[in-house]
């Protein structure tokens, strides 16, 4: 299947700082990528849809000014958590749809964010 | 509110048995159905997808879809300890690639 990478795999930061997470499609182009957040023992919650060359589409309740998404190329989407606070500590996962005519999504390995 | 529901478990089965995982969804317009496996601390990995009513088999895994009853299930034959994980059901509503996930069922395969 398609390969999606994320960087960093984990990050610890101080409250009030900003953190950037990268999501790359390694062997295919992705005009759309998705960003999810997962709190412990909960399911994945879609945060936003990242669209190459245009603005991201945010799900209801997700602050677009806090979670900045940039999809500047067909292989890279970034999520920046601005002014992070302890309640933003979570597992952030990106995904990209397959190119094979199915609706499947391939997930990156995730980024564990801990805000102190 | 589009919903995908799963029993959170844990579901415990002995090694070699069949594990049966169930999922129900609320929107009859749903088109695609997916099962993902997620190990603790890892991201989900795709096991199977199914679009049409009936059964779809892939190795030890069989997905079953019943659109009239709005449920999809996953059977794991000859369960192994390595199958111990959380299994997430996901549904695609009317295309567009957006997935809605259930809360997952934790499976424990015991020696």
């Amino acid at each position: 299947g398609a390969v999606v990478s994320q960087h960093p795999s984990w990050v610890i930061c101080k409250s009030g700082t900003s953190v950037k997470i990268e999501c790359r499609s390694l062997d295919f182009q992705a005009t759309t990528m998705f960003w999810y957040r997962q709190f412990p023992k909960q399911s994945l919650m879609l945060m936003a849809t990242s669209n190459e060359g245009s603005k991201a589409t945010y799900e209801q309740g997700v602050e677009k000014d806090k979670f900045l998404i940039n999809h500047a190329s067909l292989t890279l989407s970034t999520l920046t958590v601005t002014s992070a606070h302890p309640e933003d500590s979570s597992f952030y996962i990106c995904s990209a749809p397959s190119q094979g005519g199915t609706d499947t999504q391939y997930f990156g390995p995730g980024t564990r964010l801990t805000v102190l | 509110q589009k919903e995908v529901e799963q029993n959170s478990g844990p579901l415990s089965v002995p090694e070699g048995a069949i594990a049966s995982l169930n999922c129900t969804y609320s929107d009859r317009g749903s088109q695609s159905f997916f099962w993902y496996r997620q190990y603790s601390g890892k991201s989900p990995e795709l096991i199977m997808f199914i679009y049409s009513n009936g059964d779809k088999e892939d190795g030890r895994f069989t997905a079953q879809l019943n659109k009239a009853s709005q449920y999809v299930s996953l059977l794991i034959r000859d369960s192994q300890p390595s199958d111990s994980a959380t299994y997430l059901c996901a549904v695609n509503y009317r295309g567009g690639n957006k997935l809605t996930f259930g809360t997952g069922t934790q499976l424990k395969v015991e020696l």
Side-chain angles (χ1 to χ4, degrees):
Chain A
V3 179
V4 176
S5 71
Q6 275 184 249
H7 178 81
S9 56
W10 59 271
V11 58
I12 301 173
C13 68
K14 293 181 179 180
S15 185
T17 60
S18 295
V19 175
K20 179 185 285 188
I21 302 170
E22 294 184 347
C23 177
R24 293 182 185 273
S25 55
L26 296 185
D27 53 357
F28 66 103
Q29 294 181 331
T31 56
T32 301
M33 290 184 179
F34 301 94
W35 286 97
Y36 294 85
R37 180 168 55 182
Q38 185 177 35
F39 292 107
K41 299 196 181 298
Q42 294 186 23
S43 191
L44 279 73
M45 296 299 296
L46 180 64
M47 299 176 66
T49 302
S50 174
N51 304 300
E52 188 269 334
S54 64
K55 292 182 179 180
T57 305
Y58 291 82
E59 295 299 303
Q60 189 174 7
V62 177
E63 301 174 59
K64 62 180 181 180
D65 294 331
K66 181 171 181 63
F67 298 99
L68 301 179
I69 292 173
N70 185 293
H71 196 147
S73 78
L74 288 171
T75 60
L76 173 64
S77 174
T78 60
L79 168 68
T80 301
V81 183
T82 62
S83 186
H85 290 283
E87 58 265 30
D88 298 322
S89 299
S90 188
F91 192 41
Y92 292 85
I93 312 172
C94 71
S95 73
S98 74
Q99 305 298 295
T102 68
D103 298 329
T104 56
Q105 289 187 25
Y106 294 99
F107 285 86
T111 297
R112 178 77 58 189
L113 170 64
T114 301
V115 185
L116 302 176
Chain B
Q1 179 81 8
K2 302 180 180 65
E3 293 183 349
V4 179
E5 296 190 357
Q6 296 179 252
N7 188 319
S8 63
L11 172 66
S12 294
V13 300
E15 183 178 8
I18 296 175
S20 177
L21 305 163
N22 300 311
C23 170
T24 60
Y25 58 94
S26 62
D27 191 335
R28 288 190 174 274
S30 305
Q31 295 181 338
S32 313
F33 307 85
F34 305 84
W35 282 101
Y36 285 84
R37 176 174 62 196
Q38 186 176 27
Y39 292 110
S40 180
K42 303 295 185 181
S43 69
E45 56 179 320
L46 180 68
I47 297 176
M48 293 188 68
F49 60 87
I50 186 167
Y51 299 145
S52 303
N53 277 329
D55 295 359
K56 179 181 179 182
E57 186 175 320
D58 183 0
R60 294 187 298 113
F61 300 97
T62 298
Q64 300 174 319
L65 175 61
N66 184 322
K67 290 188 176 181
S69 300
Q70 296 176 236
Y71 83 79
V72 57
S73 62
L74 179 70
L75 300 178
I76 306 175
R77 289 181 298 281
D78 189 24
S79 296
Q80 301 297 308
S82 58
D83 294 327
S84 297
T86 296
Y87 289 80
L88 299 169
C89 172
V91 176
N92 179 302
Y93 291 98
R94 306 175 190 268
N97 288 324
K98 287 177 65 172
L99 294 180
T100 299
F101 283 84
T103 53
T105 297
Q106 184 183 5
L107 173 66
K108 294 184 178 181
V109 180
E110 300 169 332
L111 295 172

